Coordinates of all heavy atoms in Angstrom, one line a residue:
D408 N -12.2 -32.0 -7.6 CA -12.3 -32.6 -8.9 C -11.2 -32.1 -9.9 O -10.8 -31.0 -9.8 CB -13.7 -32.2 -9.6 CG -14.8 -32.7 -8.7 OD1 -14.8 -33.8 -8.2 OD2 -15.8 -31.9 -8.6
L409 N -10.7 -33.1 -10.7 CA -9.7 -32.8 -11.7 C -10.3 -32.8 -13.1 O -11.2 -33.6 -13.3 CB -8.5 -33.8 -11.6 CG -7.9 -33.9 -10.2 CD1 -6.8 -35.0 -10.2 CD2 -7.3 -32.5 -9.7
V410 N -9.8 -32.0 -14.0 CA -10.3 -31.9 -15.3 C -9.4 -32.6 -16.3 O -8.2 -32.4 -16.4 CB -10.5 -30.4 -15.7 CG1 -11.0 -30.3 -17.1 CG2 -11.5 -29.7 -14.8
F411 N -10.1 -33.4 -17.2 CA -9.4 -34.2 -18.2 C -10.1 -34.0 -19.6 O -11.3 -33.8 -19.5 CB -9.3 -35.6 -17.9 CG -8.5 -35.9 -16.7 CD1 -9.0 -36.0 -15.4 CD2 -7.1 -36.1 -16.8 CE1 -8.2 -36.2 -14.3 CE2 -6.3 -36.4 -15.6 CZ -6.9 -36.4 -14.4
K412 N -9.4 -34.0 -20.6 CA -10.0 -34.0 -22.0 C -9.7 -35.2 -22.8 O -8.6 -35.6 -22.8 CB -9.4 -32.7 -22.7 CG -10.4 -32.0 -23.7 CD -9.8 -30.7 -24.2 CE -10.8 -30.0 -25.0 NZ -10.2 -28.7 -25.5
I413 N -10.7 -35.8 -23.4 CA -10.5 -37.0 -24.1 C -11.1 -36.9 -25.5 O -12.0 -36.1 -25.8 CB -11.2 -38.2 -23.5 CG1 -12.7 -38.0 -23.2 CG2 -10.4 -38.6 -22.2 CD1 -13.4 -39.3 -22.7
E414 N -10.5 -37.6 -26.5 CA -11.0 -37.6 -27.9 C -11.2 -39.1 -28.3 O -10.3 -39.9 -28.0 CB -10.0 -36.9 -28.8 CG -10.5 -36.7 -30.2 CD -9.4 -36.0 -31.1 OE1 -8.4 -35.5 -30.5 OE2 -9.6 -36.0 -32.3
F415 N -12.2 -39.3 -29.0 CA -12.5 -40.7 -29.3 C -13.4 -40.8 -30.6 O -14.0 -39.7 -30.9 CB -13.1 -41.5 -28.2 CG -14.3 -40.9 -27.6 CD1 -15.6 -41.2 -28.0 CD2 -14.2 -39.9 -26.6 CE1 -16.7 -40.6 -27.5 CE2 -15.3 -39.3 -26.0 CZ -16.6 -39.6 -26.5
S416 N -13.5 -41.9 -31.2 CA -14.4 -42.0 -32.4 C -15.8 -42.3 -32.0 O -16.1 -42.8 -30.9 CB -13.8 -43.1 -33.3 OG -14.0 -44.4 -32.6
H417 N -16.7 -42.0 -32.9 CA -18.2 -42.2 -32.7 C -18.5 -43.7 -32.4 O -19.4 -44.0 -31.6 CB -19.0 -41.7 -33.8 CG -19.0 -40.2 -34.0 ND1 -19.9 -39.4 -33.4 CD2 -18.1 -39.4 -34.7 CE1 -19.6 -38.1 -33.7 NE2 -18.5 -38.1 -34.5
S418 N -17.7 -44.6 -32.9 CA -17.9 -46.0 -32.8 C -17.8 -46.5 -31.4 O -18.4 -47.6 -31.0 CB -17.0 -46.8 -33.7 OG -15.6 -46.6 -33.3
V419 N -17.0 -45.8 -30.5 CA -16.9 -46.3 -29.1 C -17.6 -45.4 -28.1 O -17.4 -45.5 -26.9 CB -15.3 -46.3 -28.7 CG1 -14.6 -47.4 -29.6 CG2 -14.7 -45.0 -28.8
M420 N -18.5 -44.6 -28.6 CA -19.4 -43.7 -27.8 C -20.0 -44.5 -26.6 O -20.0 -44.0 -25.5 CB -20.4 -42.9 -28.6 CG -21.4 -42.2 -27.8 SD -20.7 -40.8 -26.9 CE -20.7 -39.6 -28.3
N421 N -20.6 -45.6 -26.9 CA -21.4 -46.3 -25.9 C -20.4 -46.8 -24.8 O -20.8 -46.8 -23.6 CB -22.1 -47.6 -26.5 CG -23.3 -47.1 -27.3 OD1 -23.8 -46.0 -27.2 ND2 -23.8 -48.0 -28.2
E422 N -19.2 -47.2 -25.2 CA -18.2 -47.7 -24.1 C -17.8 -46.5 -23.3 O -17.7 -46.7 -22.0 CB -17.0 -48.2 -24.8 CG -17.2 -49.5 -25.5 CD -16.0 -50.0 -26.3 OE1 -15.0 -50.3 -25.6 OE2 -16.0 -50.0 -27.5
V423 N -17.6 -45.3 -23.9 CA -17.2 -44.1 -23.1 C -18.4 -43.7 -22.2 O -18.2 -43.5 -20.9 CB -16.9 -43.0 -24.0 CG1 -16.7 -41.7 -23.2 CG2 -15.6 -43.3 -24.8
M424 N -19.6 -43.7 -22.7 CA -20.8 -43.3 -21.9 C -21.0 -44.3 -20.7 O -21.5 -43.9 -19.7 CB -22.0 -43.2 -22.7 CG -21.9 -41.9 -23.7 SD -21.4 -40.4 -22.9 CE -22.8 -40.1 -21.8
K425 N -20.7 -45.6 -20.9 CA -20.9 -46.6 -19.9 C -20.0 -46.2 -18.7 O -20.4 -46.2 -17.5 CB -20.5 -48.0 -20.4 CG -20.8 -49.1 -19.5 CD -20.5 -50.4 -20.2 CE -21.0 -51.6 -19.3 NZ -20.0 -52.0 -18.3
V426 N -18.7 -45.9 -19.0 CA -17.8 -45.5 -17.9 C -18.2 -44.2 -17.2 O -18.3 -44.1 -16.0 CB -16.3 -45.3 -18.5 CG1 -15.4 -44.8 -17.4 CG2 -15.8 -46.6 -19.1
V427 N -18.6 -43.3 -18.1 CA -19.1 -41.9 -17.5 C -20.3 -42.2 -16.6 O -20.3 -41.6 -15.4 CB -19.5 -41.0 -18.7 CG1 -20.3 -39.8 -18.2 CG2 -18.2 -40.5 -19.4
K428 N -21.2 -43.0 -17.0 CA -22.4 -43.2 -16.2 C -22.1 -44.0 -14.9 O -22.5 -43.6 -13.8 CB -23.4 -44.0 -17.0 CG -24.8 -44.0 -16.4 CD -25.9 -44.6 -17.3 CE -27.2 -44.6 -16.7 NZ -28.2 -45.3 -17.5
E429 N -21.4 -45.1 -15.0 CA -21.0 -45.9 -13.9 C -20.2 -45.2 -12.8 O -20.3 -45.5 -11.6 CB -20.4 -47.2 -14.3 CG -21.4 -48.2 -15.0 CD -20.7 -49.4 -15.6 OE1 -19.5 -49.6 -15.4 OE2 -21.4 -50.2 -16.2
E430 N -19.3 -44.3 -13.3 CA -18.3 -43.6 -12.4 C -18.9 -42.3 -12.0 O -18.3 -41.5 -11.2 CB -17.0 -43.4 -13.0 CG -16.3 -44.8 -13.4 CD -15.8 -45.5 -12.2 OE1 -15.7 -44.9 -11.1 OE2 -15.4 -46.7 -12.3
N431 N -20.1 -41.9 -12.5 CA -20.8 -40.7 -12.1 C -19.9 -39.5 -12.4 O -19.7 -38.6 -11.6 CB -21.2 -40.7 -10.6 CG -22.2 -39.7 -10.3 OD1 -23.0 -39.2 -11.2 ND2 -22.3 -39.3 -9.1
I432 N -19.4 -39.4 -13.7 CA -18.5 -38.4 -14.1 C -19.3 -37.3 -14.7 O -20.2 -37.5 -15.5 CB -17.4 -38.9 -15.1 CG1 -16.6 -40.0 -14.5 CG2 -16.6 -37.8 -15.6 CD1 -15.8 -40.8 -15.5
K433 N -18.8 -36.0 -14.5 CA -19.5 -34.9 -15.0 C -18.9 -34.5 -16.3 O -17.7 -34.3 -16.4 CB -19.4 -33.7 -14.0 CG -20.2 -32.4 -14.5 CD -20.1 -31.4 -13.4 CE -20.6 -30.1 -13.9 NZ -20.3 -28.9 -13.1
I434 N -19.7 -34.4 -17.4 CA -19.2 -33.9 -18.7 C -19.6 -32.4 -18.7 O -20.8 -32.1 -18.7 CB -19.8 -34.6 -19.9 CG1 -19.6 -36.1 -19.8 CG2 -19.3 -34.1 -21.2 CD1 -20.4 -36.9 -20.8
F435 N -18.6 -31.5 -18.9 CA -19.0 -30.1 -18.9 C -18.7 -29.4 -20.2 O -19.0 -28.3 -20.4 CB -18.4 -29.3 -17.7 CG -16.9 -29.1 -17.7 CD1 -16.3 -28.1 -18.4 CD2 -16.2 -30.1 -17.1 CE1 -14.9 -28.0 -18.4 CE2 -14.8 -30.1 -17.1 CZ -14.2 -29.0 -17.8
N436 N -18.2 -30.2 -21.1 CA -17.9 -29.7 -22.5 C -17.9 -30.8 -23.4 O -17.2 -31.8 -23.2 CB -16.6 -28.9 -22.5 CG -16.7 -27.7 -23.5 OD1 -17.5 -27.7 -24.4 ND2 -15.8 -26.7 -23.2
Q437 N -18.7 -30.8 -24.5 CA -18.6 -31.9 -25.5 C -18.7 -31.3 -26.9 O -19.4 -30.4 -27.2 CB -19.6 -32.9 -25.2 CG -21.1 -32.4 -25.0 CD -22.0 -33.4 -24.4 OE1 -21.6 -34.6 -24.3 NE2 -23.2 -33.0 -24.0
C438 N -17.9 -32.0 -27.8 CA -17.9 -31.6 -29.2 C -18.0 -32.8 -30.1 O -17.3 -33.8 -29.9 CB -16.6 -30.8 -29.5 SG -16.4 -30.3 -31.2
F439 N -19.0 -32.8 -31.0 CA -19.2 -33.9 -31.9 C -18.9 -33.5 -33.3 O -19.6 -32.7 -33.9 CB -20.7 -34.5 -31.8 CG -21.0 -34.9 -30.4 CD1 -21.8 -34.0 -29.6 CD2 -20.7 -36.1 -29.9 CE1 -22.2 -34.4 -28.4 CE2 -21.0 -36.5 -28.6 CZ -21.8 -35.7 -27.9
D440 N -17.7 -33.9 -33.8 CA -17.3 -33.5 -35.1 C -16.9 -34.8 -35.8 O -17.6 -35.8 -35.7 CB -16.0 -32.5 -35.0 CG -15.9 -31.5 -36.1 OD1 -16.7 -31.8 -37.1 OD2 -15.2 -30.6 -36.0
L441 N -15.8 -34.8 -36.5 CA -15.3 -36.0 -37.1 C -15.0 -37.0 -36.0 O -15.2 -38.2 -36.2 CB -14.1 -35.8 -38.0 CG -14.3 -34.9 -39.2 CD1 -13.0 -34.6 -39.9 CD2 -15.3 -35.5 -40.2
S442 N -14.5 -36.5 -34.9 CA -14.4 -37.4 -33.7 C -15.1 -36.6 -32.6 O -15.6 -35.5 -32.7 CB -12.9 -37.6 -33.4 OG -12.3 -36.4 -33.1
C443 N -15.2 -37.3 -31.4 CA -15.9 -36.7 -30.3 C -14.9 -36.2 -29.3 O -13.8 -36.9 -29.0 CB -16.8 -37.7 -29.6 SG -17.9 -38.6 -30.7
T444 N -15.1 -35.1 -28.7 CA -14.2 -34.5 -27.6 C -15.1 -34.3 -26.4 O -16.1 -33.5 -26.5 CB -13.5 -33.2 -28.1 OG1 -12.9 -33.5 -29.4 CG2 -12.4 -32.9 -27.1
F445 N -14.6 -34.8 -25.3 CA -15.3 -34.5 -24.0 C -14.3 -33.8 -23.0 O -13.1 -34.2 -22.9 CB -15.8 -35.8 -23.3 CG -17.1 -36.4 -23.9 CD1 -17.7 -35.8 -25.0 CD2 -17.6 -37.5 -23.3 CE1 -18.9 -36.3 -25.5 CE2 -18.8 -38.0 -23.8 CZ -19.4 -37.5 -24.8

Side-chain angles (χ1 to χ4, degrees):
D408 300 319
L409 304 176
V410 174
F411 296 90
K412 210 170 187 182
I413 56 171
E414 187 179 348
F415 53 92
S416 66
H417 291 272
S418 62
V419 295
M420 171 68 83
N421 286 345
E422 291 174 68
V423 172
M424 290 311 294
K425 184 173 191 279
V426 175
V427 165
K428 193 173 179 186
E429 287 176 3
E430 299 288 346
N431 200 22
I432 298 167
K433 184 179 170 191
I434 303 170
F435 65 91
N436 215 337
Q437 48 193 350
C438 175
F439 302 99
D440 208 348
L441 295 173
S442 61
C443 308
T444 308
F445 281 4

